[in-house]
């Protein structure tokens, strides 16, 4: 096996190359290799050393797969201390992804050269951790700017190499080859007195102004953290760099790291890191190559069609937008321009960038103009009749080999595909509104979808920076399907005595971005009302939504009408109790003869979260989703589920499926039992004392 760390002598300078694809993670053999090769450089009389990464990237961090396993010496903190104590100058060639332990390694070097494109940061908080190799102590000593230091560590957001050079994180900005420039720098260092270059020796002093900066930062961090604990803990360690001697600060950082590592939040966030990557891999039974996509046709310039068109234009595709009339096209394109104008205002995009995007858009009212599209995505009315008509027309005009996708959120794609002579070219691409913002894309593999069509959808998902999850056909696919029992329990809890605000608060305290009633108001209560009218609901199902239906019939449609479950301030949209909703709910309770009771937040969380996971288990049992972790990704990226809890399936794994199963069994026996359909898979796993994670692994 080639050594993952080797030395190339360039004159008197030893270039210590790290070669651990795909991201040069600091696996154990890499840590050992760095120490070995650096020692070799010193022993061989090298004038200086450069640490560099193969593959155009320095080091993307510690090897996350090693977490939770026994530490193999040397640990990264020790490696960093050895680098810093080296008696010859060590220069870091910082390029590509220089993250987490990678940046900590660079900070342990005496000098740093980077280039503008490098991505430099300490993203550990995204894993529920904090820099664990003295990053919280060396970074502030390098930047000497408490705001930059506490922001980088607590947000986890990387900065560009250009900015790193501006704020003093790098000593030189290379305009050419970073490694060559690092070697030149090493050659030019004649002063072997490295005292001033060892960050651990830099003294910091806490002043009232700096203390005030940290006080203010902590308030902001706590607000943004929304229940995640790592950001604040990380910020406290940066603050300690100003208050404690280096060795004490490192001790505090280490103790905090060891406290966070085994915790539920870090385990959940590391679960999500790998779950997102797993979800986007093609199913094991799929082979072949993605088809080339250059030109995309979008049918429908409404909210969804416009958002989807923006997504593809932003990713550099040529887009042809088809609507039934010029006015509809004017409206749709007008909304897109307004959205992009907001992007200019927020500094997210430039005027030139918007012009580039608009230049990629072609408009038409004729299907014939879609004839040369490689991928056509339909986002028209959500009725089967309209979808069938549209796909019949597409079949007539689309070129052979064009991928035909429907954005339907729950309709049967097999039925839509059967409308064409090419069902193998048809699949679902279900975007979430607003499609240009929401990262989730459910790719629905219909029975006849060809492998290369599925691979094509996965490829464009990556190019348009969407997080794809592959689903099979089934009413509501994965996300929306699971929402039904979740909302059912929420409405039942209101019938039984909880207020909508109590249910919402219990769930936002749990970590959800918004509670179900606030979300229903946001989406519009008439959407659910119409969907229930279209379905042939059983009487006991219909009864659950009596209050919601009465609200709609009384004109309370949610935010869009100024009131729904809540009342909304016309200016600020601030939510407050809607007395009409309260009286409608009370009326319905008495009509249904319900003896209300006070309901704890714990019961609200259990009944809604277990209902969600139980449906997820049905989705898995039916093969609509491939993995439990895919379901977690759907809820993280499409529904505002708290990431530091993992996802609905990871959460019940942490509760323990035995507990979950016994609660569901209890409710199934109780008065509300008619609303529970325990999943066989969940019950079996509980019996075997297994978890969904183990089910995934065994697949
Ligand atoms: N450890 C192990 N595997 C990793 C990894 C890592 N740090 N980073 C990526 N991978 C795997 C990933 O699972 C995937 O595997 C493949 O590499 C390609 O990744 C002590 C404690 C670097 C921006 O948090 O953000 O240092 O699916 O698909 O889109 O203080 O990977 O192919 O089998 O994401 O080009 C801090 C995490 C760690 C960076 C590249 N570092 N990685 O993105 O490729 S904690 C991070 C990323 C730490 C120290 C602390 C991204 C990337 P597979 P990919 P990409």
């Amino acid at each position: 096996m080639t050594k993952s760390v080797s030395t190339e002598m360039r004159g008197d300078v030893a270039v210590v190359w790290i070669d651990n694809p795909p991201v040069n993670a600091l696996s154990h053999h890499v840590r050992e290799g760095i120490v070995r090769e650096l020692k070799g450089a010193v022993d061989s009389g090298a004038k200086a050393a450069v640490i560099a990464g193969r593959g155009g990237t320095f080091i993307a961090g510690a090897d996350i797969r090693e977490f939770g396993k026994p530490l193999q010496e040397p640990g990264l903190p020790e490696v960093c201390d050895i680098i810093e104590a080296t008696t010859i100058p060590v220069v870091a060639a910082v390029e590509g992804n220089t993250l987490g332990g990678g940046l900590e390694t660079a900070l342990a070097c005496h000098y740093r050269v980077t280039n503008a494109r490098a991505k430099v940061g300490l993203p550990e908080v995204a894993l529920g951790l904090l820099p664990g190799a003295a990053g919280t102590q060396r970074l502030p000593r390098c930047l000497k700017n408490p705001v930059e230091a506490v922001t980088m560590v607590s947000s986890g957001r990387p900065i560009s190499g250009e900015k790193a050079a501006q704020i003093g994180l790098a000593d030189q900005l290379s305009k050419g080859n970073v490694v060559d420039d690092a070697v030149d720098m090493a050659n030019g260092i004649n002063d072997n007195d490295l005292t001033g270059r060892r960050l651990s020796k830099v003294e910091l002093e806490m002043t009232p102004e700096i203390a005030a900066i940290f006080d203010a930062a902590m308030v902001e961090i706590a607000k943004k953290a929304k229940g995640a604990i790592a950001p604040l803990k990380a910020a406290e360690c940066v603050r300690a760099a100003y208050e404690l001697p280096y060795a004490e600060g490192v001790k505090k950082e280490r103790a905090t790291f060891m406290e966070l590592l085994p915790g539920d939040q870090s385990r959940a966030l590391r679960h999500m890191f790998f779950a997102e990557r797993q979800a986007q891999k093609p199913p094991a039974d799929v082979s072949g190559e993605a088809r080339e996509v250059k030109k995309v046709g979008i049918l429908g310039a409404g909210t969804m069609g416009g958002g989807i068109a923006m997504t593809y234009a932003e990713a550099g595709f040529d887009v042809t937008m088809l609507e039934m009339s010029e006015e509809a096209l004017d409206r749709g394109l007008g909304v897109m321009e307004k959205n992009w104008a907001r992007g200019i205002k927020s500094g997210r995009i430039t005027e030139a960038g918007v012009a580039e995007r608009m230049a990629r858009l072609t408009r038409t009212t004729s299907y014939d103009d879609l004839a040369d599209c490689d991928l056509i995505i339909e986002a028209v009315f959500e009725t089967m009749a309209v979808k069938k008509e549209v796909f019949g027309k597409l079949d007539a005009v689309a070129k052979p080999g064009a991928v035909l996708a429907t954005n339907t959120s729950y309709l049967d794609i097999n039925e839509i595909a059967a409308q064409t002579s090419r069902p193998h070219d048809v699949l679902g691409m279900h975007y979430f509104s607003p499609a240009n913002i929401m990262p989730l894309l459910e790719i629905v593999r219909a029975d006849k979808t060809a492998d290369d069509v599925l691979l094509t959808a996965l490829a464009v998902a990556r190019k348009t920076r969407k997080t794809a999850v592959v689903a099979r056909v089934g009413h509501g696919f994965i996300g929306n399907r699971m929402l039904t029992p979740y909302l059912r329990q929420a409405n039942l809890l209101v019938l039984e005595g909880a207020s909508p605000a109590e249910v919402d608060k219990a769930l936002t305290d749990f970590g959800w971005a918004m509670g179900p009633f606030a979300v229903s108001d946001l989406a519009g209560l008439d959407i659910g009302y119409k969907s229930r009218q279209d379905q042939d609901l059983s009487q006991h199902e219909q009864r659950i939504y009596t209050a919601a239906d009465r609200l709609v019939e009384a004109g309370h449609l949610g935010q869009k009408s100024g009131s729904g479950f809540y009342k909304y301030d016309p200016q600020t949209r601030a939510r407050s109790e809607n007395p009409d909703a309260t009286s409608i709910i009370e009326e319905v309770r008495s009509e249904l003869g319900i003896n209300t009771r006070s309901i704890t937040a714990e019961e609200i969380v259990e009944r809604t979260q277990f209902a969600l996971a139980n449906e997820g288990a049905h989705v898995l049992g039916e093969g609509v989703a491939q993995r439990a972790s895919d379901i977690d990704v759907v809820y993280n990226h499409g529904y505002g589920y708290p990431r530091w809890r993992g996802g609905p399936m990871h959460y019940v794994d942490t509760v323990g499926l035995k507990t979950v199963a016994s609660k569901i069994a209890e409710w199934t026996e109780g008065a509300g039992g008619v609303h529970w359909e325990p999943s066989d898979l969940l019950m079996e796993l509980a019996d075997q004392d297994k978890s969904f994670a183990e089910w995934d692994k065994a697949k």
Side-chain angles (χ1 to χ4, degrees):
M1 167 188 153
T2 50
K3 281 198 296 186
S4 52
V5 185
S6 59
T7 298
E8 173 204 354
M9 287 309 294
R10 292 200 191 171
D12 296 338
V13 174
V15 180
V16 176
W17 284 104
I18 295 168
D19 187 7
N20 185 25
V23 296
N24 289 337
L26 285 157
S27 313
H28 172 240
H29 53 85
V30 173
R31 299 195 302 272
E32 264 183 337
I34 292 172
V35 172
R36 178 190 69 240
E37 298 300 319
L38 260 188
K39 185 177 177 313
V42 172
D43 294 351
S44 67
K47 164 188 171 50
V50 168
I51 298 182
R54 292 286 188 198
T57 194
F58 185 59
I59 300 170
D63 185 339
I64 307 173
R65 285 163 305 193
E66 290 183 355
F67 293 154
K69 295 175 188 158
L71 174 69
Q72 291 174 287
E73 299 296 344
L76 187 59
E78 189 192 341
V79 171
C80 289
D81 289 346
I82 291 169
I83 294 170
E84 189 180 72
T86 304
T87 51
I88 59 173
V90 182
V91 182
V94 170
E95 53 182 335
N97 293 306
T98 301
L99 302 168
L103 178 53
E104 290 174 299
T105 303
L107 286 168
C109 295
H110 307 113
Y111 296 86
R112 287 159 288 281
V113 176
T114 187
N115 63 9
R117 292 185 309 284
K119 201 165 113 172
V120 180
L122 294 169
E124 287 87 340
V125 292
L127 298 168
L129 299 168
L130 79 166
T136 64
Q137 305 304 303
R138 285 198 173 96
L139 183 71
R141 286 175 167 81
C142 178
L143 301 185
K144 300 195 189 62
N145 173 331
V147 176
E148 292 287 358
V150 77
T151 304
M152 269 186 88
V153 174
S154 61
S155 72
R157 266 196 313 277
I159 60 173
S160 68
E162 189 160 19
K163 175 151 186 205
Q166 280 163 5
I167 62 175
L169 188 45
D171 305 288
Q172 182 183 319
L173 189 63
S174 163
K175 298 267 187 280
N177 180 296
V178 173
V179 178
D180 294 349
D181 287 351
V183 171
D184 291 347
M185 176 186 270
N187 270 315
I189 298 167
N190 298 312
D191 170 5
N192 265 16
D193 174 5
L194 297 170
T195 319
R197 302 300 306 181
R198 294 190 172 101
L199 291 172
S200 63
K201 307 296 178 213
V202 170
E203 295 292 317
L204 289 176
E205 191 207 342
M206 180 54 89
T207 64
E209 296 72 25
I210 291 177
I213 286 173
F214 277 105
D215 292 345
M218 302 310 224
V219 169
E220 274 312 297
I221 292 165
K223 249 192 272 174
K224 284 194 196 128
K226 295 196 190 95
I229 50 179
L232 214 48
K233 295 273 186 188
E236 284 164 9
C237 286
V238 177
R239 179 181 201 132
Y242 284 83
E243 293 169 332
L244 301 174
Y246 178 80
E248 293 305 306
V250 168
K251 267 201 206 114
K252 176 181 172 65
E253 176 194 88
R254 195 84 209 133
T256 309
F257 184 88
M258 295 315 286
E259 178 198 322
L260 291 172
L261 185 62
D264 282 348
Q265 289 203 9
S266 183
R267 290 150 59 91
L269 289 163
R270 282 178 273 139
H271 162 76
M272 288 315 300
F273 176 84
F274 291 112
E276 283 156 352
R277 287 155 177 81
Q278 193 65 17
Q280 308 194 59
K281 292 195 170 104
D285 65 331
V286 165
S287 61
E289 296 292 319
R291 296 177 189 174
E292 189 179 24
V293 176
K294 283 208 173 90
K295 196 159 184 185
V296 180
I298 311 280
L299 267 84
T303 311
M304 288 310 290
I308 296 169
M310 289 178 74
T311 301
Y312 282 86
E314 285 179 8
F317 291 90
D318 289 334
V319 175
T320 300
M321 294 190 74
L322 173 100
E323 254 295 358
M324 293 301 101
S325 69
E326 292 301 336
E327 297 70 28
L329 282 167
D330 289 343
R331 245 191 336 273
L333 285 158
V335 169
M336 290 163 67
E337 279 181 289
K338 239 192 281 164
N339 285 340
W340 274 324
R342 267 208 293 278
I344 293 171
K345 231 163 110 197
S346 67
R348 202 168 49 80
I349 39 178
T350 61
E351 304 231 356
V354 172
E356 266 171 43
R357 289 164 172 82
M358 292 302 289
R360 292 192 194 109
L361 292 171
T362 311
R363 50 187 283 169
T364 181
T365 56
S366 157
Y367 272 81
D368 294 342
D369 291 341
L370 300 179
D372 60 347
C373 290
D374 308 301
L375 164 66
I376 302 172
I377 303 171
E378 158 278 312
V380 297
F381 287 114
E382 194 68 349
T383 64
M384 187 52 90
V386 172
K387 304 279 186 202
K388 283 184 170 178
E389 186 198 344
V390 161
F391 272 78
K393 289 182 180 171
L394 284 180
D395 192 28
V397 300
K399 69 179 184 182
V403 173
L404 309 180
T406 168
N407 174 54
T408 182
S409 52
Y410 63 91
L411 293 172
D412 182 339
I413 297 168
N414 293 321
E415 204 179 324
I416 295 172
Q419 209 53 33
T420 73
S421 62
R422 47 177 123 179
H424 50 281
D425 288 338
V426 178
L427 84 173
M429 291 180 81
H430 175 216
Y431 287 88
F432 286 72
S433 185
N436 54 309
I437 307 282
M438 291 299 281
L440 180 63
L441 170 60
E442 279 181 328
I443 297 177
V444 189
R445 183 183 181 188
D447 295 351
K448 294 188 176 155
T449 301
D451 286 3
D452 63 341
V453 167
L454 179 62
L455 292 169
T456 305
L458 284 165
V460 292
R462 262 196 307 283
K463 284 193 193 118
T464 51
R465 290 208 303 280
K466 291 298 178 188
T467 303
V469 175
V470 176
R472 280 291 190 176
V473 172
H475 187 90
F477 313 128
I478 300 172
N480 286 350
R481 153 102 179 252
M482 291 169 59
L483 215 48
T484 303
Y486 172 72
L487 293 175
R488 180 185 298 130
Q489 289 304 317
N491 282 277
L492 279 169
L493 286 157
V494 164
L495 278 187
E496 293 167 31
S499 71
E502 282 170 339
V503 172
D504 281 358
K505 182 173 184 319
L507 293 171
T508 48
D509 287 352
F510 176 82
W512 283 84
M514 280 174 89
F517 294 102
V519 170
S520 301
D521 274 356
L522 181 65
L525 301 185
D526 48 331
I527 307 276
Y529 180 83
K530 185 179 171 308
S531 157
R532 287 189 290 276
Q533 304 297 317
D534 292 349
Q535 295 173 56
D536 178 18
L537 291 182
S538 65
Q539 215 231 327
H540 64 245
E541 188 68 8
Q542 189 61 46
R543 160 183 183 276
I544 298 167
Y545 303 100
T546 309
D549 291 347
R550 290 247 175 105
L551 276 168
V552 172
E553 287 151 7
H556 300 286
L557 308 183
Q559 275 199 24
K560 60 181 151 186
S561 68
S563 66
F565 282 102
Y566 297 93
K567 219 165 60 180
Y568 294 89
D569 178 291
Q571 266 67 47
T572 64
R573 284 203 197 170
R575 270 198 297 274
S576 58
E577 186 191 343
N578 176 7
D580 293 348
T582 307
S583 51
I584 286 173
I585 290 166
E586 280 160 6
E587 244 168 61
V588 169
R589 285 169 178 165
S590 62
E591 278 173 30
L592 297 176
I594 291 170
N595 297 324
T596 56
R597 60 189 172 90
S598 82
I599 296 176
T600 63
E602 187 194 9
E603 180 178 349
I604 293 169
V605 167
E606 286 188 340
R607 280 188 37 195
T608 53
Q609 304 315 298
F610 293 3
L612 199 57
N614 181 61
E615 196 64 24
H618 280 298
V619 165
L620 290 172
E622 293 164 23
V624 174
Q626 297 179 87
R627 308 174 192 90
S629 61
D630 284 5
I631 292 174
D632 290 339
V633 173
V634 165
Y635 266 79
N636 242 267
H637 286 256
Y639 294 84
Y641 190 91
R643 187 182 175 82
W644 49 269
R645 289 199 187 270
M649 310 312 276
H650 178 84
Y651 171 65
V652 291
D653 273 356
T654 55
V655 171
L657 295 190
K658 271 190 177 316
T659 305
V660 176
S662 67
K663 281 280 183 184
I664 292 176
E666 183 192 314
W667 294 325
T668 306
E669 295 309 310
V674 69
H675 301 300
W676 285 95
E677 240 181 276
S679 146
D680 294 342
L681 172 63
L682 192 153
M683 295 304 172
E684 278 155 32
L685 289 174
D687 282 348
Q688 298 155 16
D689 205 7
K690 285 215 177 337
S691 64
F692 284 114
E694 288 166 308
W695 185 79
D696 277 354
K697 265 202 200 90
K699 276 199 80 179

